[in-house]
Amino acid sequence: MFKIAEMQTLYVEKTVEYGAYLVEEENKDLPVPSKDQHVLLPKKQVPEDVKRGQAIDVFIYRDSDDRLIATTTVPKVTLHKVSRLIVSDVGKVGAFLDWGLEKDLLLPYAEQTRRVSKGDEVLVAAYLDKSNRIAATMNVYPYLETASGYLKDSQVTGTVYETSDNFGAFVAVDDKYQGLIPKKELYGNVSIGDVVSARVTRVREDGKLDLSIREKAYKQIESDALALVDIIKSYNGVLPFSEKADAEVIKRETGMSKNQFKKAVGNLYKNRIIEITDESKIRLL
């Protein structure tokens, strides 16, 4: 049986006016293979001077009429692999992705973890649906690998593919490996599709990576302090609240937790960069 949605080596059984019929190795010496034992490679992709029995590397998928078809073009994603693809259009049944072949790849609405629009770049995996047709899913977790080779404190980049109020943000490191930013390590607004830079805090026994988008403590305080200066400047030099404000207000206005905010304020105050007024406002000096 042909391997749908995968690259494979097939053999020329015969050439016709509109292309060449290809068969698997075990059928290449049969005088007349049955209909389901050969697949068409369209004429424009057939090599010149091709001969019976010649090996050709092809990808098998279904065309617009739902027939199996071969192509020598290597698509941007193959079965059970993960890749970033551009949305070429959106229709009634889902989004259509440019994967390098004439027929776009369907991303059904049921397989979208967020609604996508034309021109978006999305991280997806390829799978076979109930009708044995290749389709895309944004639920990439089952298709990510664990043998990344990264060590603790490695700096990595990845794409957020799922968020959870209980666990944190799930990240496809290098768009290939399983990673998690635990809830306690999250700050700022992190959404599905975001590309984040992170530090590996732990490599689990199963190879999965725990990540942090915070720097090590002393570096993080300095980084937050610099960010806070920019925020205060955006308020014309006077922030209308201090560390006594509600945690939700601080989070909304600065993207920091209350504890982070207090440490950043302390750093700036100690270095005489700010003052705290009697009205509980923070002013740049």
Side-chain angles (χ1 to χ4, degrees):
M1 295 293 290
F2 299 117
K3 299 174 184 177
I4 300 176
E6 298 183 60
M7 294 297 298
Q8 58 213 277
T9 301
L10 298 181
Y11 299 82
V12 177
E13 181 244 323
K14 65 179 178 180
T15 58
V16 293
E17 181 182 352
Y18 42 87
Y21 280 104
L22 310 178
V23 295
E24 295 177 290
E25 185 173 17
E26 61 265 30
N27 296 323
K28 69 177 183 178
D29 295 323
L30 293 179
V32 184
S34 61
K35 186 176 180 180
D36 63 352
Q37 290 178 320
H38 63 199
V39 62
L40 178 68
L41 177 65
K43 184 176 181 177
K44 61 184 177 182
Q45 296 198 343
V46 177
E48 292 185 9
D49 302 321
V50 71
K51 295 179 175 59
R52 175 181 168 84
Q54 182 173 327
I56 302 179
D57 291 332
V58 295
F59 179 80
I60 304 292
Y61 70 113
R62 294 188 182 275
D63 65 13
S64 299
D65 295 318
D66 210 31
R67 299 171 300 193
L68 286 183
I69 196 80
T71 176
T72 55
T73 301
V74 180
K76 297 174 184 177
V77 68
T78 58
L79 187 65
H80 297 162
K81 299 300 182 182
V82 178
S83 183
R84 302 179 69 87
L85 302 178
I86 301 296
V87 178
S88 58
D89 203 357
V90 177
K92 293 181 179 179
V93 294
F96 296 91
L97 310 178
D98 176 9
W99 61 323
L101 302 184
E102 291 184 7
K103 180 185 177 184
D104 286 340
L105 181 63
L106 175 65
L107 172 61
Y109 283 119
E111 297 296 331
Q112 296 179 21
T113 55
R114 65 174 177 87
R115 286 293 178 259
V116 300
S117 303
K118 184 176 180 178
D120 286 354
E121 185 177 51
V122 293
L123 186 70
V124 296
Y127 73 101
L128 294 180
D129 65 14
K130 294 179 181 179
S131 300
N132 215 29
R133 291 173 296 193
I134 187 170
T137 177
M138 292 172 69
N139 296 299
V140 300
Y141 177 82
Y143 308 103
L144 294 174
E145 302 174 20
T146 56
S148 68
Y150 284 117
L151 303 175
K152 183 180 178 182
D153 288 330
S154 296
Q155 294 295 321
V156 299
T157 301
T159 303
V160 177
Y161 64 88
E162 184 179 349
T163 58
S164 166
D165 290 338
N166 294 324
F167 298 105
F170 293 89
V171 177
V173 174
D174 296 339
D175 294 342
K176 186 175 182 179
Y177 305 109
Q178 291 185 12
L180 171 67
I181 305 173
K183 185 177 180 179
K184 66 180 181 179
E185 295 294 339
L186 275 175
Y187 75 97
N189 297 315
V190 175
S191 304
I192 292 173
D194 287 351
V195 176
V196 297
S197 296
R199 175 172 54 88
V200 176
T201 59
R202 180 170 65 145
V203 180
R204 296 174 178 262
E205 291 184 3
D206 59 6
K208 297 177 184 178
L209 305 174
D210 280 357
L211 309 172
S212 175
I213 51 178
R214 303 174 188 269
E215 300 182 76
K216 288 190 173 181
Y218 69 94
K219 290 184 178 180
Q220 186 64 53
I221 293 172
E222 292 176 357
S223 177
D224 289 342
L226 291 173
L228 185 54
V229 168
D230 289 337
I231 293 169
I232 298 172
K233 286 180 179 178
S234 73
Y235 280 89
N236 294 320
V238 181
L239 196 66
F241 59 87
S242 69
E243 71 274 18
K244 295 179 181 178
D246 289 341
E248 292 182 2
V249 172
I250 293 172
K251 183 77 169 179
R252 184 185 69 239
E253 299 300 324
T254 69
M256 302 178 193
S257 69
K258 188 164 185 173
N259 187 49
Q260 275 181 275
F261 182 73
K262 289 175 68 174
K263 289 180 179 179
V265 169
N267 178 280
L268 295 177
Y269 187 81
K270 182 180 67 175
N271 288 291
R272 298 183 180 180
I273 297 172
I274 62 169
E275 66 175 357
I276 300 174
T277 70
D278 293 338
E279 296 84 17
S280 292
K281 297 180 180 180
I282 297 175
R283 188 195 313 274
L284 283 176
L285 294 175

